[in-house]
Amino acid sequence: MKQILLGIFLLTGLVTAAEKPNVVLFLVDDMGWMDSGVYGSQYYETPNIDRFAKRGMRFTRAYANPLCSPSRASILSGKHPTRHGVLTASGHLPPQPEGHNFMPESAPPNRPMISPESKNYLDLSEITLAEALKEAGYRTAHIGKWHLGLTEMHRPEKQGFDVAFHCAPDPGPPGNYFSPYGVTKEGIPNNKNKVGTITDGPEGEYIVDRQAQEAVKFIAGSEGKPFFLNLWCYGVHGPWGHKPEYTAEFAKKKDPRGVQGNPIMASMLRSVDECFGTILDELDKRGLTENTIIIFYSDNGGNVHSNIPNTAKTAQAEKFKNEALTDWRKWAGDRAPTDNTPLREGKSKLYEGGTRVPMIWSWGDRIKPGSVNEESIVGHIDLYPTVLELTGVAKPEKQVIDGVSLVPVLMGKEGLERTAFFNFFPYRPFEGGATVCEGDFKLIRWFDEGVPRELYNLKDDIGEQNNLAEQMPDKVKELDVLIDGFLKDTGALVPKPNPAYKAPANVTKAGVDPMRGLVPKGCKATLVKGALRIDAEVPRPFLGNASVKANGAVTLKMRARSAKGGAGSIHWRTGDQETFVNDVNILEYAMTGGGEWQDITLELPIKTSLAGFRLFLPAAKVPLEIESLSVITKNDGKPVKVWTFASQP
């Protein structure tokens, strides 16, 4: 049993001993910043989330980690992932043994950096938010996805929850969302055996609906005692189980913005919204709304990568005729789960699309109804201290807390003392990185050596398209110092150079990766003597780049060779387009076979500006080799970017 040292105190004007407020945290899995009506979607329908926003304060600059487990651990501990050690979505994997070294001493010779290992569990030494509230007299419940520990000792019941409705392993829901869920009470949890407290409902029951029922049951059973309901919704994570009757409705709908349009995601969001609405209605019915703190939040940005064509994972699913992918193609075609426009990228990325999320707080009339906060930078680490202050519960003496209380902001009194907010993800791309947001500016520091800093003014450039690092070196230095302090203060395990790394012959002396932002998709790119070899993993592999920028028409030149030859194409995106548009901005080309070097020249008739490209390669049948690739402005013939894979002297 954990020893918790804390005290109870009263906050004048907030709470008295006789009226401890209830707390409801409704956390959605993979819900993007733009995935509700109140945050700007004109395709998804979320009436309950929208009406809830009218009750409380909506934050437009709320953040989470790029992946779920780190965010969840931060919510319950109040700590940055760098401090609690859960660095990626690994909470469904076996826990490491006591004394394990989470910073490996070595890495394979093909890896330029040695990356830290994530804890696969929330450490039992953490005094969780649930434990702090339970010690103060609260009845506590966890309902839904956990993803903070596989084995019994790391499950919700051991982290302060009186009631738990969950199973393990749980990167996604049991039963593909529908009952029978196939969860057993005992046994060894693995991919074929879900173990936990979830029981089957009527055949075909949707688990998000069941979560609402379990929440109502918990609220009813807590009469006369303050409660903490921690509902972590299974939606809208894969494998994307959905109600076909809802999906069919959205399949007929068009987004006026022409951006979102996945009927499966719309269907799932409707179910999530109904679950949330059921809880709001139950609180209203019981007269509890005025004295219940309600938080609506998401664990990371929206998913924009799953089920799209030309990826190795999708190709594998297609090869084995995966039923879920077949259903996806029926309803959603080649669409990704969602679209985070105007934000860049999505889940698992440090760009805004991966980290900026919805967050709304309400507490009767104490938090101004219908208010919007566009200034404060808030996030996962702040829920813990904020809930404690609002409920009048003292911070546990032995718990280090990185977050700050949002009470001054929520009560409309003043801003936050903290000015900078940090994020950290030590994995791909570029061996991960760290970010800091301060004021209007955001700096991204990639850990891979030779990859330049990225600096954005988010007020003017929320889509992170205009890197200001070269124009504002002093601002880069200023924010870099803050990242240094953050990494040192939280004891971050940062990727470090791998001494066993065998650099390809064409890596420059400065150690710069010759790929320099060129990303292989649906293929394996290998540096061989004098060339970049492309081995296809899907029928239409491509090299993508999102960092090249140029105004006006450009010429792309490639020197390559192939034994078989074939047809290829280039697909580009302009600065006024938030994403690649199907059947627009495409040029085709052909390569001859025979293995001789040949020069391919493509004239891109761009009238605005180039913001990225995908170079599809005829490598499906046999490997293809590229000696060089360049992008040149048409008006003055100056190179914008050049990739040379020929061996260095």
Side-chain angles (χ1 to χ4, degrees), residues 78 99 270 295 390 417 460 576-577:
R270 174 182 283 183
I295 309 140
L390 289 175
E417 293 182 5
D460 299 334
D576 57 347
Q577 295 172 324

Side-chain angles (χ1 to χ4, degrees), residues 155-378:
R155 293 178 191 160
E157 298 92 329
K158 303 295 185 181
Q159 297 283 17
F161 291 101
D162 299 312
V163 176
F165 178 83
H166 70 100
C167 69
D170 62 345
N176 292 335
Y177 278 91
F178 293 96
S179 181
Y181 303 117
V183 177
T184 60
K185 291 184 178 180
E186 299 178 350
I188 299 174
N190 53 48
N191 289 335
K192 295 182 179 181
N193 187 39
K194 303 277 189 180
V195 179
T197 59
I198 293 175
T199 56
D200 290 341
E203 185 164 353
E205 174 190 71
Y206 194 63
I207 198 165
V208 176
D209 295 344
R210 176 67 176 280
Q211 286 185 271
Q213 295 172 23
E214 294 294 326
V216 168
K217 182 167 56 174
F218 171 73
I219 293 170
S222 301
E223 191 168 353
K225 190 173 185 180
F227 61 82
F228 170 39
L229 171 59
N230 192 54
L231 192 146
W232 289 359
C233 196
Y234 282 111
V236 289
H237 195 280
W240 301 285
H242 58 102
K243 297 179 181 179
E245 62 273 23
Y246 286 1
T247 311
E249 290 183 39
F250 286 102
K252 301 173 185 176
K253 186 177 180 179
K254 299 293 183 182
D255 183 356
R257 297 188 305 146
V259 176
Q260 294 169 327
N262 188 325
I264 290 178
M265 180 57 60
S267 172
M268 296 179 72
L269 281 167
R270 174 182 283 183
S271 294
V272 168
D273 184 75
E274 289 176 346
C275 177
F276 186 51
T278 297
I279 295 171
L280 295 180
D281 291 344
E282 183 66 18
L283 294 171
D284 287 345
K285 185 179 76 174
R286 293 181 175 274
L288 298 174
T289 300
E290 286 300 310
N291 198 37
T292 300
I293 299 160
I294 307 172
I295 309 140
F296 182 91
Y297 189 42
S298 177
D299 64 347
N300 50 246
N303 183 335
V304 298
H305 63 267
S306 292
N307 296 336
I308 60 174
N310 303 309
T311 69
K313 190 172 182 178
T314 301
Q316 188 79 354
E318 291 171 340
K319 179 179 179 181
F320 291 99
K321 302 186 186 307
N322 180 275
E323 290 184 9
L325 184 61
T326 300
D327 181 68
W328 187 274
R329 292 285 178 262
K330 172 186 174 182
W331 294 106
D334 291 342
R335 283 186 179 273
T338 194
D339 191 310
N340 297 318
T341 300
L343 306 185
R344 181 175 176 179
E345 296 285 357
K347 174 182 177 178
S348 82
K349 299 296 191 298
L350 282 168
Y351 293 110
E352 292 293 286
T355 59
R356 191 182 287 222
V357 295
M359 179 191 281
I360 308 170
W361 290 71
S362 81
W363 184 16
D365 291 330
R366 292 174 176 85
I367 297 173
K368 185 179 179 181
S371 55
V372 179
N373 186 296
E374 297 179 335
E375 301 298 327
S376 302
I377 307 174
V378 301

Side-chain angles (χ1 to χ4, degrees), residues 107-113 497-507 514 526-528:
N110 65 338
R111 297 293 301 274
M113 307 286 281
N498 178 14
Y501 176 54
K502 295 181 180 179
N506 58 338
V507 174
T526 308
L527 291 165
V528 296

Side-chain angles (χ1 to χ4, degrees), residues 562-610:
S562 169
K564 288 284 186 181
S569 64
I570 184 169
H571 189 184
W572 68 91
R573 178 172 67 85
T574 56
D576 57 347
Q577 295 172 324
E578 297 293 345
T579 186
F580 289 89
V581 181
N582 291 338
D583 302 323
V584 176
N585 298 341
I586 297 175
L587 282 179
E588 297 181 346
Y589 67 90
M591 287 187 64
T592 58
E596 297 296 326
W597 289 108
Q598 51 197 291
D599 294 305
I600 308 295
T601 300
L602 298 170
E603 306 285 351
L604 280 56
I606 299 171
K607 295 182 180 180
T608 54
S609 61
L610 175 66

Side-chain angles (χ1 to χ4, degrees), residues 92-154:
H92 59 290
L93 301 175
Q96 295 90 347
E98 188 175 351
H100 183 76
N101 181 14
F102 289 93
M103 190 69 214
E105 298 296 328
S106 61
N110 65 338
R111 297 293 301 274
M113 307 286 281
I114 300 174
S115 298
E117 184 180 344
S118 171
K119 278 186 180 179
N120 296 337
Y121 56 91
L122 178 62
D123 202 297
L124 291 174
S125 64
E126 302 290 352
I127 301 173
T128 68
L129 177 59
E131 288 171 322
L133 292 174
K134 182 177 180 177
E135 186 76 5
Y138 278 74
R139 185 168 183 253
T140 59
H142 173 83
I143 297 174
K145 178 172 174 174
W146 178 243
H147 213 192
L148 290 176
L150 177 69
T151 57
E152 184 177 356
M153 68 182 295
H154 293 116

